[in-house]
Amino acid sequence: MTTEKLTAGHNLTSLQTFLLREESKHPHATGAYTMVLSALSLASKFIAARCRRAGLEDVLGSMGAENVQGETQQKLDVIANEALIRALGSRPGVAVIASEEDDEPIILSQDVTGERPYVVLFDPLDGSSNLDVCGGIGTIFSILQHDRRAARVEDSALQPGVRQVGAGYVLYGPSTVLVLTTGTGVQMFVLDPAIGSFLLVDDDVRIPETNKMYSMNSANLGQCDQAYRDYVDWANGEGYTMRYVGTMVADVHRTMMKGGVFLYPPTKKAPKGKLRLMYEANPMAMLVEQAGGKAFSGTERTMDVIPQEVHQRVPVVLGSAGEVDHVLRFLAK
Ligand code: P6P
């Protein structure tokens, strides 16, 4: 029997293999970046395991407290947040951690010489309110290089999206999918629970140019600017279909795989938009652009937005280039 037959149907490139192969392309690499991504992978496997048993362990429901966003914290929000902080906090390359769940960034090193080169920002469990109904939820992360010139160490977390050196999300759905960019295209991995490894299934994810599909919470339409309402009227007239899960990771992943456009416009309730720039819009924008799509916040490219504070919110329009252009045409009027 040939080797090929022995391994037929099994992809044998793990995330670890992929990262070490990428690291080997950089002769001066210290391995710190690989260790950051390895920490994110470990924490997401831990979170996936807890999600899989959510109905069997006491991790459903709320903590009875609110986070800095004024949103009710789910038990698994706290568990996921702790897992990410502990995994990243034990890595020598991480200087600052910023989480949706924590008011202020966590400084792991006051050392301004910057031997700790990275800042990691994340939404530990995006869409966690869907957990109780077994809906798709996810983790979103963004990696910046530590800005040693920042006035305060924590200000290093306030860099525009164009300065990201990595971004990704983990979708905890029927399977656990990691979609990652380190700046040279987008790779997709699926967790094989039998061996506990993320295995490479696509080494060059490209978002389809067009698809007559938009994804937004249509219940908000009455609160949106006329331009968004005009776009939806136009799309409906053109025979577009609408899909919306209510978890950004799930809605963006569908958009990455099938094409279309995902929108969270400003509303009366959220006049700057609901989604957070630093650990939702920016990482998703890097992924979408690396896959050939576009990501805008109003008429400004999302990754050009200069952040003012770590939890700031922005409007989001992202997806297939052709579909985002249709929305921008209405916003420009
Ligand atoms: P709405 C989940 O709470 C979240 O932060 C994103 O994952 C999602 O895209 C959005 O909010 C859904 O908001 O107002 O449609 O429930």
Side-chain angles (χ1 to χ4, degrees):
M1 179 181 287
T2 63
T3 311
E4 286 67 33
K5 286 205 175 72
L6 281 173
T7 58
H10 287 270
N11 179 303
L12 294 180
T13 302
S14 68
L15 173 64
Q16 207 58 26
T17 307
F18 172 80
L19 294 177
L20 291 173
R21 190 185 299 152
E22 287 301 299
E23 183 185 311
S24 67
K25 295 174 186 173
H26 304 274
H28 303 297
T30 64
Y33 189 79
T34 301
M35 289 285 274
V36 168
L37 288 169
S38 165
L40 291 164
S41 164
L42 176 63
S44 61
K45 291 178 195 174
F46 176 84
I47 296 165
R50 301 305 294 270
C51 289
R52 295 272 167 272
R53 294 185 50 79
L56 302 171
E57 296 174 358
D58 180 23
V59 293
L60 288 178
S62 82
M63 293 292 289
E66 287 189 346
N67 62 15
V68 64
Q69 319 291 339
E71 293 167 351
T72 304
Q73 253 186 339
Q74 304 296 309
K75 289 176 185 169
L76 212 52
D77 283 324
V78 176
I79 292 169
N81 195 44
E82 286 303 310
L84 284 156
I85 291 172
R86 286 175 58 194
L88 289 164
S90 66
R91 290 328 197 245
V94 182
V96 180
I97 291 174
S99 167
E100 183 207 33
E101 295 298 329
D102 296 313
D103 298 13
E104 297 297 329
I106 300 166
I107 300 171
L108 296 164
S109 160
Q110 287 288 5
D111 169 48
V112 291
T113 60
E115 98 283 354
R116 288 171 170 249
Y118 297 110
V119 175
V120 184
L121 307 95
F122 54 77
D123 180 355
L125 206 61
D126 170 59
S128 52
S129 54
N130 278 330
L131 183 68
D132 292 1
V133 297
C134 201
I137 53 180
T139 296
I140 312 171
F141 59 86
S142 168
I143 307 172
L144 294 165
Q145 277 185 318
H146 186 26
D147 179 359
R148 300 161 197 169
R149 296 157 305 171
R152 301 180 307 159
V153 175
E154 57 270 36
D155 292 345
S156 185
L158 293 180
Q159 300 177 56
V162 286
R163 295 225 196 110
Q164 293 176 106
V165 293
Y169 60 78
V170 182
L171 174 58
Y172 309 108
S175 59
T176 298
V177 177
L178 165 65
V179 177
L180 170 69
T181 181
T182 58
T184 54
V186 177
Q187 291 77 40
M188 181 158 68
F189 302 81
V190 173
L191 180 63
D192 181 341
I195 58 174
S197 281
F198 278 109
L199 299 183
L200 183 68
V201 294
D202 189 341
D203 65 359
D204 185 22
V205 176
R206 303 296 294 169
I207 191 168
E209 267 294 311
T210 61
N211 181 19
K212 287 190 166 186
M213 181 182 285
Y214 65 88
S215 178
M216 72 173 286
N217 183 341
S218 302
N220 291 335
L221 210 46
Q223 298 183 44
C224 295
D225 291 348
Q226 188 62 44
Y228 289 102
R229 282 184 266 157
D230 291 347
Y231 162 74
V232 170
D233 286 345
W234 170 83
N236 291 340
E238 292 291 313
Y240 276 56
T241 187
M242 201 282 279
R243 291 284 183 277
Y244 192 72
V245 175
T247 294
M248 186 185 196
V249 172
D251 286 316
V252 171
H253 187 64
R254 184 199 52 252
T255 305
M256 289 280 278
M257 298 294 106
K258 304 286 189 190
V261 60
F262 168 78
L263 313 91
Y264 206 107
T267 63
K268 291 190 178 67
K269 185 180 167 193
K272 291 190 168 38
K274 176 181 182 183
L275 301 175
R276 275 61 57 137
L277 172 63
M278 297 310 294
Y279 40 79
E280 290 176 328
N282 268 339
M284 292 306 198
M286 183 178 185
L287 287 160
V288 165
E289 287 197 7
Q290 284 283 326
K294 287 186 176 181
F296 275 70
S297 292
T299 54
E300 184 175 13
R301 179 189 178 216
T302 295
M303 290 206 288
D304 288 339
V305 175
I306 303 299
Q308 303 303 321
E309 65 96 15
V310 73
H311 298 298
Q312 87 180 62
R313 300 170 190 264
V314 289
V316 172
V317 177
L318 62 78
S320 303
E323 301 303 337
V324 170
D325 287 344
H326 286 314
V327 181
L328 295 179
R329 213 174 50 245
F330 287 91
L331 297 185
K333 285 178 181 172

